[in-house]
Amino acid sequence: MRTRILMLAAVLGIALAAHADTHNAMRSRYYRMRRPQADTLMVKAYEDSLAYYKAKVDSLSRVADNATFRFNSNYFKLFAPLTYYRSVAKGSFADTDVTAQGPESQAVNSVLMRAYLQCPSRVRSTEEQLKRMGALHEEIKTPIKHKVELSKDEDMLLEEKTDMPLHLVVEKPNFWSFSGDYYLQFLQNYISGNWYKGGESNYSMVASATLQANYNNKQKVKFENKLELKLGFQTSRGDTLHSFKTSEDLIRYTGKLGLQASKNWYYTLQLVAYTQFLRGYKSNDPYVYSDLMSPFNSNLSIGMSYNVDAFDHKLKGSIQMAPLAYNFRYVSRKELGPRYGIDEGKHVKHDFGSECTFDLTWQLSELIKWKTRLYGYTTYERAEIEWENTISFQFNKYISSNIFIYPRFDDGTSTRDDHHGYWQFKEYASIGFAYSF
């Protein structure tokens, strides 16, 4: 009897297992048949929601008055941190009619169930924890609406397409740049005849023009040209021979042809030539100390030049160093030859040596600018050094004041001063009009 009962139980167990397998197989086949349709409906519903939102916020689209959309709160479960819901597991394993759920809910539950089975470690919380924090609304019954003002169709203006003829003009690049500085300044000093310390009244003026024309092809060649013109006059009551004399007199050309060696270094050929406009006199002295082409000096040198650009572009200029230089000096008045180192009775002197030039401009502030030029030439028998300094105070666009300081050394002259030796000094201060471009 006991054996029959055990055999019957075994047969019943096998039958139940077969029935369960058959039921699960049918259920899996049912879900496999339903899943593509449910997934498609899910994607379609999500696309519809995006299209509806776009139509709401885009002022260029119009939505019909009868357009409606039903929001399903189950979509929230897909985008919130992964949470375990009992209803998902119950709908998957309980013997219930899945068709009682909507297609969107079936698709959401299917996605969540696959996530539970394949990635259980990603589940952050449970439905019980959410309920303790607050009630979970299964459905949003009242649609969320945004107040959007939509434009009318007639307000939309379409851009008209017009065919316009296109004329293409290709211009040759201009590698030349031009600049200049001008100023005209005055100085007046009045002293009455009975002034207790003595002295005499005098008037002076100085005009200056600096013109620059520079070529730079932005590849390797530079050609810089600078012409400096300066002329000043002064009068004094104590000079009975001359109604006025020159205080400043200069014509100077500086040309530099450079071939780039590196970023800031150039192989250069430089020419510096200078003379003056008028005769030069001393007070109550009829002797002519200088004149046009007396002297005329030119210096041709070969070396290297360094472009200076420092202190946030405030200090600019160039430094020229030439180990080989040829100097030519000429006087049209033979009697002035010994005064400028030329043999007596001759007009010309040639010599060779080395040359260097520092030509810099430092913008100390918006109103103060310092221009300096240090020129040196030596034949190793004689030396010639000139250091010109001009400090400009710019009060406004057209009014400025200048301080000019000019020490000079030349031991090639025939005369030597007992007090200063071979050093020479010149200095003045002026105020007047200035213009730059």
Side-chain angles (χ1 to χ4, degrees):
M1 184 67 181
R2 184 176 180 181
T3 303
R4 292 181 179 179
I5 293 174
L6 292 175
M7 293 177 61
L8 182 61
V11 172
L12 182 60
I14 293 172
L16 291 175
H19 179 267
D21 291 340
T22 304
H23 178 75
N24 291 334
M26 295 178 62
R27 186 181 183 88
S28 299
R29 185 175 59 182
Y30 173 80
Y31 275 114
R32 285 196 301 270
M33 295 175 62
R34 297 282 295 177
R35 183 177 298 166
Q37 182 180 3
D39 292 346
T40 302
L41 293 174
M42 179 62 194
V43 174
K44 183 63 171 59
Y46 183 70
E47 291 177 349
D48 291 344
S49 67
L50 293 178
Y52 182 81
Y53 179 74
K54 177 181 181 301
K56 278 289 187 180
V57 300
D58 193 350
S59 61
L60 299 179
S61 301
R62 295 190 63 188
V63 181
D65 296 336
N66 58 354
T68 59
F69 183 82
R70 295 180 62 186
F71 290 90
N72 193 330
S73 62
N74 286 328
Y75 297 153
F76 163 79
K77 299 176 182 178
L78 295 177
F79 305 103
L82 189 58
T83 304
Y84 176 74
Y85 299 98
R86 286 188 175 183
S87 58
V88 175
K90 184 179 180 180
S92 300
F93 294 105
D95 189 10
T96 58
D97 186 6
V98 296
T99 59
Q101 301 177 350
E104 293 90 349
S105 298
Q106 294 178 26
V108 170
N109 292 343
S110 177
V111 172
L112 290 175
M113 193 62 202
R114 287 200 299 270
Y116 294 160
L117 296 176
Q118 296 177 7
C119 305
S121 60
R122 300 286 183 88
V123 179
R124 300 292 183 86
S125 58
T126 63
E127 186 175 357
E128 286 75 9
Q129 294 176 346
L130 296 180
K131 288 182 177 180
R132 285 196 298 268
M133 290 185 289
L136 180 65
H137 299 280
E138 296 294 337
E139 185 179 358
I140 300 176
K141 297 182 179 180
T142 304
I144 300 175
K145 295 183 179 181
H146 299 276
K147 185 178 180 181
V148 180
E149 296 181 359
L150 302 176
S151 62
K152 297 181 180 180
D153 290 341
E154 54 267 25
D155 294 338
M156 298 173 59
L157 299 177
L158 298 177
E159 183 179 357
E160 297 182 359
K161 295 183 179 180
T162 57
D163 296 331
M164 298 293 293
L166 180 62
H167 300 282
L168 184 61
V169 179
V170 179
E171 296 182 354
K172 183 179 180 180
N174 184 13
F175 299 122
W176 286 93
S177 62
F178 303 91
S179 62
D181 294 310
Y182 307 91
Y183 67 79
L184 176 63
Q185 299 184 336
F186 303 90
L187 179 63
Q188 183 266 339
N189 181 25
Y190 172 76
I191 299 177
S192 63
N194 61 347
W195 184 248
Y196 74 104
K197 287 187 177 181
E200 63 180 2
S201 301
N202 59 77
Y203 302 89
S204 63
M205 60 83 64
V206 60
S208 173
T210 301
L211 305 175
Q212 297 188 66
N214 300 326
Y215 174 88
N216 187 355
N217 64 359
K218 306 298 183 180
Q219 293 180 353
K220 284 197 172 184
V221 179
K222 290 178 67 175
F223 182 37
E224 299 176 351
N225 300 271
K226 181 166 67 172
L227 178 63
E228 299 170 86
L229 307 174
K230 188 181 292 186
L231 185 61
F233 298 98
Q234 67 177 6
T235 63
S236 61
R237 293 181 179 180
D239 189 357
T240 58
L241 291 180
H242 312 101
S243 57
F244 61 86
K245 302 183 297 294
T246 58
S247 58
E248 285 289 327
D249 198 349
L250 177 66
I251 305 173
R252 183 167 61 204
Y253 167 78
T254 304
K256 186 187 299 183
L257 177 63
L259 179 64
Q260 189 172 21
S262 63
K263 181 179 180 181
N264 293 318
W265 285 96
Y266 286 80
Y267 302 107
T268 55
L269 176 67
Q270 178 177 267
L271 173 65
V272 180
Y274 61 88
T275 184
Q276 63 188 60
F277 288 98
L278 304 174
R279 298 175 181 177
Y281 296 98
K282 292 183 179 180
S283 294
N284 296 312
D285 189 350
Y287 183 78
V288 177
Y289 288 86
S290 61
D291 198 356
L292 177 66
M293 301 299 290
S294 293
F296 168 78
N297 199 86
S298 65
N299 186 283
L300 182 65
S301 61
I302 299 176
M304 295 196 72
S305 176
Y306 178 78
N307 286 349
V308 179
D309 190 352
F311 302 117
D312 197 16
H313 309 295
K314 292 182 179 180
L315 178 61
K316 292 185 175 182
S318 64
I319 300 174
Q320 164 80 7
M321 291 176 289
L324 179 61
Y326 164 69
N327 195 80
F328 171 79
R329 183 169 291 179
Y330 169 82
V331 291
S332 60
R333 295 171 175 262
K334 288 185 179 181
E335 64 274 14
L336 296 180
R339 179 176 176 82
Y340 296 103
I342 300 175
D343 295 338
E344 188 174 354
K346 294 185 178 181
H347 291 281
V348 177
K349 180 179 182 178
H350 309 268
D351 51 31
F352 294 88
S354 301
E355 179 267 340
C356 67
T357 304
F358 292 73
D359 197 346
L360 304 172
T361 300
W362 193 351
Q363 190 74 40
L364 299 173
S365 68
E366 294 183 359
L367 304 178
I368 303 176
K369 180 169 60 176
W370 175 29
K371 290 184 177 181
T372 182
R373 176 183 178 271
L374 177 62
Y375 169 82
Y377 172 74
T378 178
T379 63
Y380 306 103
E381 293 181 356
R382 70 177 184 89
E384 181 180 340
I385 301 174
E386 298 177 346
W387 189 17
E388 303 176 29
N389 298 274
T390 303
I391 302 175
S392 301
F393 301 87
Q394 194 75 32
F395 300 112
N396 56 37
K397 185 177 181 180
Y398 299 108
I399 304 298
S400 70
S401 176
N402 288 344
I403 298 177
F404 182 72
I405 303 173
Y406 183 9
R408 186 178 186 274
F409 178 87
D410 187 358
D411 62 357
T413 61
S414 59
T415 59
R416 185 180 186 276
D417 187 80
D418 295 335
H419 180 65
H420 298 291
Y422 292 109
W423 282 99
Q424 305 167 24
F425 295 93
K426 191 175 193 178
E427 178 270 333
Y428 68 82
S430 61
I431 187 171
F433 302 98
Y435 179 73
S436 300
F437 72 91

